[in-house]
Each structure stands twice: as C-alpha cells, then as structure tokens.
Amino acid sequence: MKRHVRARASSLAALIAALLAFPAFADERLPKVVVLATGGTIAGAAASDVQAGYTSGQVGVEQLLAAVPQAKKLAVLSGEQIANIGSQDMNDEVWFNLVRRINALAAMQDVHGVVVTHGTDTIEETAYFLNLVVKTDKPVVLTAAMRASTALSADGPLNFYNAVAVAANPDAVGRGVLVVVNDWIHGASSLTKTSTTAVQTFLSPVWGLIGTVAYGDAEFYRGPVGRHTRDSEFSLDGVTALPRVDIIMAHANMDGAMIEAAVAAGAKGIVIAGVGNGNMTGAALAALAAQAKKGVVCVRASRVTTGRVGRNVEVDDDKLGFVASLGLNPQKSRVLLRLALTKTKDLGKIQRYFDEY
Ligand code: ASP
C-alpha cells in the first residue's frame, strides 16, 4: 500500500516537472505585471509614419501589448484600459481610478508590479500624485513616448519594454513611483519635461536619476528624494474631491488681476510660478498677501527649471504668510498643495510637507 502511494507521488512529481519544463507553464513562473493604459502619444496614431501631426490615445491596451511581444519574455502581462486620452486632458477622475486600481492590484499577492502608460505632457504630475497616495512597495512604473506608435523610429515599444523590465525587477521595490523613458529611470519627484518634441525630453535636474535601463537590463543608483508611497501621510481614503488650486505664472509688469480671478473662480490655494527665486512684482506680492490673509494658501515656486525656492530669501514669507516650494516645480507644488489642503490649512504644517515630500 505504502509503495503504491510512493509510486503515485513520484509519477506526479515527474508530471509537474515535465509541465514546468513546457514553455507555456514556464511562463507562469515569470513575475506578473499589470499594464494600466491611459492614452498619450505612446498610444497615438498618424496617417503616415513621417507626419508631425497625430492624435493621442488611439491605440488600445491590447494593441499596445501585441506591438511588443518581446515583453512577454520578461513578465506575464495583462492589460486594462483606464482611459484613452492625451495627457493634456488628464483629470481627477482618471487619477482617482488609477489610485484605486493600483492599490487593489498591489494588494494581490501574485502581482509583482504595475506599468502605467501615459502621455508625456503631464506624466510628471500623475507620477508625483501616485507617489504620494498609492500604498505599496511594489514597483509602479509609468512610461510614455514622444513619437506616435505609427511614426518612423517610434520610441514607445522600447520604452514599454524597459518599463515592464523595471516593474518586474525586485530591485525596483521600495523606490517609489518611477518613470521609465528613453533608457532612464526617474523618480516621481525629480523628473520634468524639458523639450516639446525631443525624444530626450525628460531630465531629473539637481536630484539626478534613480537608474538606467538598457534593453531591459536595469541598474539602480539610489532611492528617490522625499517621502513616498507607504511612508506618505497622504491617501485618498475618505477623500471624494480635491480642492481647486491654480498656477499663475509671474512675468514683467504683472498685476494682481489673475490672483484675484483665481480666488473668484474658487481656488483654495494658489501656486505662483515666480520669476527667479519665486519672485513677483510688488503689485502681485501685495495681491497675493491680501489673499493669504483671507485664508487662501499661497505657495511660491519658480518658472525656472532648476534650483530651489528658499524661504525668506528675497520675499518675507513669515511676514506675508506664504509657503516656499523649496525643490518642487509649480506643477508638482500644485499636486502637493491640493493633497495638503485635504488635511490642513496650517501654514507651518504645509511648509513641512514641502520640506519632506
Ligand atoms: N500630448 C501628448 C500627451 O501628453 C504628448 C505625449 O504623449 O507625448 O498625451
């Protein structure tokens, strides 16, 4: 009887070994990565492969996956269409849906990582938003393309391949939300778009890259700057809407009209994309200080691509009741301020957020 059981067990083990050796079953041992598609140029299409004009968000997630069959050797892939828009139209509804879906996927034991395909225009805002509110150590990797999927030398397929490789890589765990474009791995707080059309548009000035990835082979240099994901105080639990925050760009001869208009439109916070070190004209400063006194939270950032906006340097933030953006650019300052306002209006606390995130 015992010999019979042993014989059955060993033939079962042989069957399992044979099945695992078979490629279809061997694939099941690859990490599982889920692709959430939102549109953008990576899913864009034009009538010809040498046409500058094209439309974002034309290609569905299944077509995107089918266009890069090589990625199936890196991970077991499945795709979901969250939206199919140009990222100039990115909005709170898509952001909330992405957060809910990423948090749910990350809670599944068999999911190793998530890739989000996105347009390049606002990818830095989405990445930074997700970095603050998704609750996981698992890799969440955004990718994009500068050239439409139908273009000559389209950059989307390799970017997608590299993003899948990073999402499947155990070394990507715990590094916050990442953006993989053009062989570079950026942190969500550091990257910014610097060229309207160049493939090499994304840079992480000042803080530098998290790593590089060449045909799927990733090398990580360091972790991201600022608190993120599981260590973030922010979450969308119990939050149904985010307050309005407007960005106003400073310029020569600026008056206070746009500042007043923003508040009249319902802004609870204002980010000034200031000149230089978060500066603006005397008239704009006076208008901003008047709104700060009424309880509108005003953040001074800079329209300059690199460098910090320091507290109390040329502008007396303490006296006027302002917050300094420190290392964050205006678009990311807006994201942080919207989340901050879901928790507090205390200027000291909000300044701390800018210091820590
Ligand atoms: N307008 C496009 C978008 O952001 C540009 C791109 O994806 O490169 O969706």
Side-chain angles (χ1 to χ4, degrees):
M1 181 68 180
K2 266 189 186 159
R3 209 179 304 136
H4 180 63
V5 171
R6 222 176 292 133
R8 278 233 309 256
S10 70
S11 61
L12 192 67
L15 180 68
I16 290 170
L19 286 175
L20 287 176
F22 190 70
F25 289 90
D27 280 352
E28 294 304 321
R29 289 177 294 173
L30 288 172
K32 184 171 171 185
V33 171
V34 181
V35 179
L36 304 180
T38 70
T41 297
I42 196 166
S48 106
D49 57 2
V50 287
Q51 181 179 305
Y54 67 94
T55 313
S56 277
Q58 298 298 296
V59 171
V61 66
E62 292 308 330
Q63 256 176 290
L64 216 92
L65 295 180
V68 195
Q70 300 86 340
K72 294 199 181 102
K73 294 202 172 121
L74 301 171
V76 176
L77 292 174
S78 61
E80 298 175 23
Q81 196 79 48
I82 300 291
N84 211 355
I85 55 176
S87 76
Q88 59 273 26
D89 282 324
M90 191 47 64
N91 55 66
D92 290 359
E93 192 188 339
V94 177
W95 276 0
F96 275 63
N97 287 340
L98 271 176
V99 173
R100 269 187 227 114
R101 196 61 195 130
I102 292 170
N103 280 337
L105 288 167
M108 293 177 191
Q109 223 188 337
D110 63 333
V111 172
H112 288 72
V114 176
V115 167
V116 178
T117 59
H118 199 287
T120 60
D121 289 350
T122 61
I123 196 171
E124 63 191 273
E125 289 164 62
T126 300
Y128 187 60
F129 180 69
L130 297 177
N131 198 47
L132 297 179
V133 291
V134 298
K135 299 293 167 202
T136 183
D137 285 337
K138 292 182 181 177
V140 176
V141 181
L142 279 72
T143 192
M146 288 299 285
R147 297 181 180 141
S149 67
T150 50
L152 192 64
S153 285
D155 52 333
L158 184 53
N159 286 345
F160 179 76
Y161 182 82
N162 281 335
V164 170
V166 171
N169 191 323
D171 281 350
V173 169
R175 292 183 199 264
V177 172
L178 301 171
V179 177
V180 170
V181 183
N182 207 30
D183 293 0
W184 284 2
I185 307 169
H186 299 268
S189 49
S190 61
L191 96 149
T192 193
K193 186 173 183 177
T194 64
S195 165
T196 54
T197 55
V199 168
Q200 180 56 325
T201 185
F202 287 105
L203 299 177
S204 281
V206 184
W207 291 330
L209 295 177
I210 302 283
T212 56
V213 52
Y215 296 100
D217 189 8
E219 196 178 349
F220 293 92
Y221 307 145
R222 58 170 184 79
V225 174
R227 293 171 64 178
H228 60 84
T229 56
R230 294 239 291 210
D231 183 39
S232 165
E233 292 154 86
F234 303 105
S235 106
L236 293 187
D237 291 349
V239 176
T240 50
L242 296 172
R244 177 174 178 139
V245 170
D246 288 333
I247 300 173
I248 300 169
M249 190 190 276
H251 51 82
N253 294 312
M254 183 184 189
D255 65 17
M258 297 302 284
I259 292 167
E260 279 143 26
V263 177
K268 304 290 179 249
I270 292 175
V271 174
I272 300 288
V275 293
N277 195 345
N279 272 321
M280 64 208 88
T281 59
L285 266 184
L288 198 67
Q291 296 305 333
K293 228 180 193 160
K294 288 187 205 155
V296 178
V297 179
C298 301
V299 174
R300 292 187 308 107
S302 179
R303 67 182 201 181
V304 180
T305 315
T306 66
R308 279 166 75 83
V309 171
R311 239 193 115 72
N312 300 323
V313 178
E314 281 187 83
V315 174
D316 192 338
D317 294 301
D318 290 346
K319 186 171 140 214
L320 300 172
F322 298 155
V323 172
S325 74
L326 309 180
L328 284 185
N329 67 20
Q331 51 274 36
K332 288 183 202 170
S333 295
R334 175 177 176 268
V335 169
L336 181 55
L337 182 54
R338 294 184 81 199
L339 286 168
L341 287 169
T342 64
K343 294 173 83 71
T344 186
K345 284 188 84 175
D346 182 276
L347 296 180
K349 270 193 196 150
I350 295 177
Q351 186 65 73
R352 176 179 70 76
Y353 295 151
F354 276 83
D355 197 24
E356 294 181 4
Y357 294 86

